[in-house]
Amino acid sequence: MYISREDKEFLIQELSVELHAKLDGGRKNLIVPVCPYCGHTGGKFGIYVGPETAKKKLFMGHCFSCGHTTTDVNQLLDDIGRSDLRIEETASFGPVAVPQFFTLDEDEIDDELNIVEMPEGWKRCYKNPYLKSRGFSFDDYEFFPVGTTRGLNFKFDDYVVFPIIDNGDIVGYISRHTWDKQRIDEYNTQARLNGKYEIRRYNNSGCKEGENDFVKLLYNYDAIVEDETDTVIICEGVFDVIALTRKLDLYENHRIAAVATFGKKISDAQIYKLQAKGVRTVIIGYDGDAVGSINAAAQKLNEYFDTYIAFIEDPTQDFDSMDFWDIYDVFSTNLKTPIEYGLNVVQL
Ligand SMILES: [Zn+2]
């Protein structure tokens, strides 16, 4: 059954009042203090209000005491004596109608995410010499949590570690060594000679059992506000997202958000995540040297969104290295459609 976003919000409100229910920490479930089926107290009855998945339907209810499950919202409403709130099948199609989900086979997309532990000793910081050298501002620390393991975990000495947050949950992390490439290379040459461990520039989650594959994640996903954010700029990495947000002052801008795909590729799962929040327009902001990858991503995205490419003429530049006016120029005069990009850039 299709439930419009207005209906969803309204029903959450009504159910909260009717059943004295409260949203849980992740805002994915309404916790009902007294089960309407068995009367058991202690918040054993939950109603799912998170994003729909193959297994989880909106407003499905389950009691962990009596085991009663309802999968149909109207059944639940009848059962609690609020048939007046029943969702009519046809009346709830808004002008936007159903998003383009049907173009992707929902069952094939596994978007279930596990919660991931940050490295031992990790603590958020609001000051860091390395991040300062990369232009971090007060707002950046506020909006983009980052921390270190403060010398308590040798595997992460000299790394800055950014949690990847999805619907309020930590679902991964990006860990970047604070030395520059040259210093790491020099160190590793010595380390190889002496049989010591080499330093990796990145030391990310995803290696341990139960940690999510990065193809299922988007950095800064929660900055996309469902049905408010129309346009998403797709970057390669964490530092691109933060630099772009800072330089274009997007912190509080709910119309436009920047996210990262952790490389120059976009997966079906990532596309689905953007669709699920009602995004309509995407701008690919991958580094200028990535012509082939940009073209491939553009073809793929163009099936689902109005797609543009932020064409950065200088292939050595990216959002992190460009200043406000360079970036402004790209967005004001150098947005290309996939066809224009194909004709003008790919064939150069
Ligand atoms: Zn029960």
Side-chain angles (χ1 to χ4, degrees):
M1 179 186 307
Y2 175 73
I3 301 175
S4 75
R5 293 194 176 95
E6 290 87 31
D7 283 349
K8 178 181 162 184
E9 290 310 314
F10 178 71
L11 262 189
I12 291 175
Q13 258 177 33
E14 287 293 317
L15 288 170
S16 304
V17 175
E18 180 70 35
L19 301 170
H20 309 286
K22 279 205 172 71
L23 283 167
D24 66 358
R27 305 183 68 79
K28 285 182 187 166
N29 297 283
L30 278 171
I31 306 299
V32 181
V34 181
C35 172
Y37 297 96
C38 70
H40 205 100
T41 57
K44 300 287 186 208
F45 190 76
I47 301 170
Y48 185 71
V49 296
E52 286 213 336
T53 67
K55 281 178 219 135
K56 292 184 179 168
K57 296 283 160 248
L58 197 52
F59 292 110
M60 72 181 277
H62 180 75
C63 175
F64 285 97
S65 183
C66 65
H68 191 101
T69 302
T70 49
T71 49
D72 175 14
V73 57
N74 286 335
Q75 182 64 51
L76 174 69
L77 292 169
D78 289 347
D79 291 345
I80 63 168
R82 289 302 304 268
S83 306
D84 58 304
L85 296 173
R86 284 178 73 98
I87 305 261
E88 297 304 328
E89 284 281 356
T90 47
S92 52
F93 282 85
V96 184
V98 194
Q100 299 135 310
F101 286 140
F102 51 80
T103 54
L104 281 172
D105 187 351
E106 265 184 273
D107 288 337
E108 282 181 13
I109 291 168
D110 170 19
D111 65 342
E112 294 276 331
L113 295 175
N114 297 324
I115 293 183
V116 168
E117 295 277 332
M118 292 300 284
E120 205 177 318
W122 182 84
K123 193 165 183 259
R124 200 168 162 183
C125 69
Y126 295 87
K127 220 179 173 183
N128 178 283
Y130 170 72
L131 296 173
K132 191 179 175 192
S133 77
R134 296 200 65 161
F136 261 56
S137 68
F138 176 77
D139 282 336
D140 293 339
Y141 290 102
E142 270 314 297
F143 283 83
F144 301 101
V146 58
T148 65
T149 54
R150 304 165 292 158
L152 299 173
N153 181 342
F154 72 95
K155 287 183 203 154
F156 291 88
D157 277 350
D158 296 310
Y159 283 90
V160 286
V161 190
F162 295 85
I164 302 165
I165 300 168
D166 193 305
N167 219 341
D169 295 329
I170 294 177
V171 294
Y173 56 83
I174 289 281
S175 174
R176 168 73 157 84
H177 206 279
T178 57
W179 293 1
D180 60 32
K181 191 175 177 300
Q182 194 192 343
R183 191 170 166 201
I184 292 176
D185 288 347
E186 282 167 10
Y187 178 94
N188 284 345
T189 307
Q190 285 301 314
R192 267 193 295 275
L193 291 172
N194 299 319
K196 282 192 188 166
Y197 283 114
E198 293 179 36
I199 290 175
R200 288 188 295 171
R201 229 166 135 218
Y202 287 93
N203 190 6
N204 303 335
S205 66
C207 305
K208 284 195 222 138
E209 174 110 30
E211 291 184 341
N212 303 302
D213 192 316
F214 274 75
V215 299
K216 292 161 75 176
L217 308 179
L218 285 170
Y219 182 70
N220 204 30
Y221 185 55
D222 287 1
I224 305 174
V225 183
E226 195 169 327
D227 259 9
E228 268 186 63
T229 307
D230 173 83
T231 301
V232 166
I233 305 167
I234 299 173
C235 306
E236 287 180 32
V238 169
F239 285 99
D240 298 316
V241 168
I242 298 172
L244 203 55
T245 302
R246 180 192 322 125
K247 289 169 188 175
L248 297 180
D249 194 13
L250 299 177
Y251 301 105
E252 307 271 12
N253 188 329
H254 289 175
R255 301 277 300 161
I256 306 176
V259 301
T261 53
F262 313 105
K264 304 173 205 295
K265 263 187 182 170
I266 186 146
S267 69
D268 288 345
Q270 289 166 334
I271 287 177
Y272 176 75
K273 289 174 80 67
L274 295 175
Q275 281 195 310
K277 287 209 185 175
V279 171
R280 291 166 158 265
T281 305
V282 296
I283 301 172
I284 301 171
Y286 292 160
D287 295 358
D289 61 355
V291 174
S293 310
I294 292 173
N295 198 43
Q299 301 302 329
K300 195 166 177 181
L301 285 160
N302 201 33
E303 289 180 38
Y304 307 104
F305 308 96
D306 292 337
T307 302
Y308 298 92
I309 294 115
F311 179 50
I312 302 170
E313 273 171 87
D314 180 346
T316 65
Q317 295 275 8
D318 58 29
F319 292 130
D320 198 9
S321 62
M322 291 158 78
D323 70 12
F324 169 80
W325 290 109
D326 292 335
I327 295 174
Y328 179 86
D329 284 345
V330 169
F331 283 96
S332 58
T333 62
N334 252 344
L335 286 185
K336 300 201 181 298
T337 65
I339 290 174
E340 287 169 335
Y341 187 80
L343 290 175
N344 298 326
V345 183
V346 177
Q347 296 175 6
L348 282 182

